[in-house]
Amino acid sequence: MSTANLPPAGTPADDEGFRRRAGALLHSAAGDLKRTSRSAAADLGLTDADYAAHLAPEQGFSWDLAQRAATVWPLNERDLVPVRNDCPRGVRVLRATESASSARVFQRGGIDYYEYRDTAMSRLASFRSAWIRMLSVVTDDDPHNADVHWNNGHALYQFTYCVGPVNYYYRWNGRDHVLRMNTGDSIWGLPFSPHTFTARNAEEPAYVLALTYGGELMGDAQHELGALGPDTARGFALDTDSAAAAQGRLLRSYLDASTLPLEHAAELSGIPAGRLAGVADGGTTLTPGEVTALAAALRLSPRDLLPVVPDAVDGVSFRPAATSRSWYHPSAGHRDYRVRELAGDRLHPHTRALEIHPQRADSDSADQAVTPLRTHQHQYLHNVGGGPVRMAWQHGGERYETVLEPGASAYVTPFVRAEFTRSGRGDPTDPTRLLALRIGGRVTTEARSALGSMYPGSLERHLHEDRQWCEERGTGGSWT
């Protein structure tokens, strides 16, 4: 059994894998452009031997080569830059002392306003997580109080978990709001909404875990939209305030994509043309039966025609601890964990925030195996109180174990099976609990379907392309 440790700060933990993936991306890009190794080398001004060396894990990625490829081929440099894996053991831990050592105090309006600390993050996921202590104390709930200093909003979605008496201020469509939050309360907010926090009591610790993440707006989508410009970006935006308007835009998009007249779509689906025109104009929504019929006619999945209307009101979804749903896992009769649901929104079905209370102590686990928890999502964990938690997990055929003391945090890669038990004596007045925020990554539902529908046995090749799509014979570059 091994104990998880962080690799040295700033040091990639999987250099060989990074180089291997870089070579595979170059090889795959050349094949997609119908270049053999010989013709790709000629395009890039390399000898055959130099090109082959760039494909080997001993050399791998070269920024100069990526820039050259982006000049002579219809690629972007980032198409040839692999993602670094800084989590080869499946879990990355940041101790409470390491978090405290990152502390920095920022001022707003000429006063000490926040103390920030880093918590666990990984290059594999878009978590940008921070522990924030409120240094400004107010005695009222006025969002215009002189000691309340707003930010300008930011591009990331934000889940916030509260400890202590905290005021959360947010602005939506020109109106200012305030929520009185206490320990265990949580909130989920949309990008670019200005917000801020203050404490309500100088004698009681008040801090939040502000867990921001990119979601589908960041990465490739942001780069593509930035290049296309705001007019095109507005064309992509769906109205999430109205299910009818959003469904109408979706239907028009699919009709335009197929160059299919609405009257012909009505004929193919059996939906009256007038009725379908009303849907396309955003005046009404399809019934479940009509969704099924129209999806079959347009050769779509039914979910492609279903609009998403967020739960958020004025840009936020608030979940007080007192009214949150909770349950035992794996069952009421086998209580390894008590789970409490935290704030979220149906806009992000692959985002789930939970409070996990381990019910078993270390001394109990020898009698009966503890149920492991597993998810397809990237997962952030933070021990938010009570006492230490022992975490054991399996990854790559190895079993690892560590203790997350109060204030420690961890990042966990998808599909890692992890068990949690109470370790040692906790605080009897403060139940041992883990905050878990789980988010979807770049592997969307569509990507998962694509992986499952590939030619049998080709998944490994997709990850690390190691062959040419055809054979090259002789010196003239002919194909088989």
Side-chain angles (χ1 to χ4, degrees):
M1 183 171 295
S2 304
T3 301
N5 293 309
L6 281 170
T11 301
D14 186 20
D15 282 338
E16 182 177 349
F18 177 84
R19 292 192 300 267
R20 181 187 177 199
R21 291 191 295 276
L25 285 174
L26 177 61
H27 197 38
S28 181
D32 293 342
L33 294 167
K34 297 301 180 283
R35 264 69 171 178
T36 63
S37 294
R38 185 174 298 127
S39 64
D43 283 353
L44 298 173
L46 300 172
T47 66
D48 291 353
D50 285 342
Y51 181 78
H54 281 288
L55 301 183
E58 291 77 20
Q59 180 168 337
F61 178 73
S62 161
W63 184 251
D64 288 342
L65 183 62
Q67 290 180 306
R68 196 181 317 169
T71 300
V72 301
W73 292 340
L75 299 174
N76 291 299
E77 289 88 344
R78 66 195 310 270
D79 296 328
L80 300 174
V81 182
V83 172
R84 293 192 182 276
N85 179 12
D86 58 359
C87 198
R89 294 176 176 174
V91 172
R92 185 175 174 87
V93 176
L94 192 72
R95 301 295 172 195
T97 53
E98 295 172 307
S99 179
S101 69
S102 71
R104 61 269 187 199
V105 172
F106 290 159
Q107 290 195 331
R108 291 188 189 174
I111 63 172
D112 289 347
Y113 199 69
Y114 284 156
E115 178 191 346
Y116 278 94
R117 299 180 186 179
D118 292 335
T119 66
M121 289 178 271
S122 168
R123 293 177 174 91
L124 294 173
S126 66
F127 291 116
R128 300 294 179 262
S129 55
W131 178 101
I132 307 175
R133 182 164 67 100
M134 285 75 250
L135 303 179
S136 179
V137 180
V138 300
T139 57
D140 59 40
D141 299 330
D142 181 4
H144 305 112
N145 185 307
D147 290 327
V148 175
H149 300 284
W150 294 70
N151 66 17
N152 296 318
H154 48 64
L156 303 177
Y157 295 92
Q158 181 165 316
F159 169 84
T160 303
Y161 181 90
C162 178
V163 177
V166 173
N167 274 8
Y168 174 63
Y169 308 85
Y170 62 100
R171 180 173 297 144
W172 191 258
N173 200 24
R175 293 186 58 196
D176 295 341
H177 307 266
V178 61
L179 288 170
R180 294 173 61 88
M181 299 178 68
N182 296 287
T183 298
D185 293 349
S186 58
I187 197 163
W188 181 92
L190 290 165
F192 294 112
S193 171
H195 57 278
T196 191
F197 306 92
T198 61
R200 294 195 304 272
N201 185 343
E203 306 303 319
E204 187 176 349
Y207 69 89
V208 298
L209 289 167
L211 309 181
T212 58
Y213 64 99
E216 64 290 318
L217 287 176
M218 305 303 288
D220 287 342
Q222 185 183 33
H223 288 286
E224 182 175 321
L225 291 172
L228 292 171
D231 289 341
T232 301
R234 277 188 282 271
F236 279 109
L238 295 175
D239 183 355
T240 58
D241 291 332
S242 165
Q247 191 168 66
R249 286 287 300 277
L250 284 172
L251 175 55
R252 287 289 184 187
S253 295
Y254 291 123
L255 294 177
D256 290 346
S258 301
T259 316
L260 184 69
L262 185 143
E263 293 78 8
H264 191 44
E267 181 181 339
L268 292 172
S269 64
I271 301 173
R275 163 75 177 153
L276 200 57
V279 173
D281 291 339
T284 186
T285 57
L286 296 164
T287 67
E290 289 172 335
V291 167
T292 300
L294 187 57
L298 299 180
R299 301 179 67 186
L300 302 171
S301 168
R303 71 185 183 89
D304 293 328
L305 291 168
L306 298 178
V308 178
V309 177
D311 297 326
V313 177
D314 292 329
V316 302
S317 177
F318 176 51
R319 188 66 56 87
T323 59
S324 298
R325 298 186 299 186
S326 65
W327 56 87
Y328 287 101
H329 183 81
S331 68
H334 184 180
R335 299 182 175 188
D336 285 350
Y337 311 98
R338 186 168 70 84
V339 181
R340 190 165 67 83
E341 186 179 51
L342 303 178
D345 195 283
R346 58 187 166 198
L347 182 67
H348 281 181
H350 301 291
T351 297
R352 285 290 181 268
L354 305 168
E355 204 178 71
I356 299 174
H357 298 242
Q359 300 295 290
R360 306 262 300 275
D362 287 347
S363 56
D364 302 331
S365 59
D367 301 329
Q368 185 179 15
V370 178
T371 305
L373 304 181
R374 188 180 80 149
T375 175
H376 71 282
Q377 300 141 305
H378 296 268
Q379 183 170 206
Y380 170 91
L381 298 171
H382 196 112
N383 187 335
V384 290
V389 172
R390 186 172 301 278
M391 176 183 179
W393 72 96
Q394 296 180 8
H395 185 70
E398 296 286 337
R399 182 175 172 84
Y400 300 95
E401 186 175 294
T402 193
V403 173
L404 300 176
E405 71 279 9
S409 54
Y411 161 75
V412 186
T413 57
F415 296 108
V416 165
R417 295 165 60 87
E419 306 157 14
F420 303 94
T421 54
R422 300 194 311 275
S423 179
R425 300 172 65 89
D427 181 348
T429 66
D430 186 10
T432 300
R433 62 198 187 280
L434 292 173
L435 166 65
L437 178 64
R438 300 166 172 178
I439 64 172
R442 298 173 178 87
V443 185
T444 62
T445 300
E446 289 80 4
R448 296 180 71 183
S449 297
L451 287 171
S453 62
M454 281 183 177
Y455 184 83
S458 58
L459 187 145
E460 286 290 338
R461 187 177 171 191
H462 173 64
L463 302 182
H464 302 290
E465 179 62 289
D466 60 357
R467 72 190 77 167
Q468 205 161 264
W469 91 101
C470 64
E471 294 181 11
E472 187 174 16
R473 289 182 177 174
T475 57
S478 59
W479 321 110
T480 57

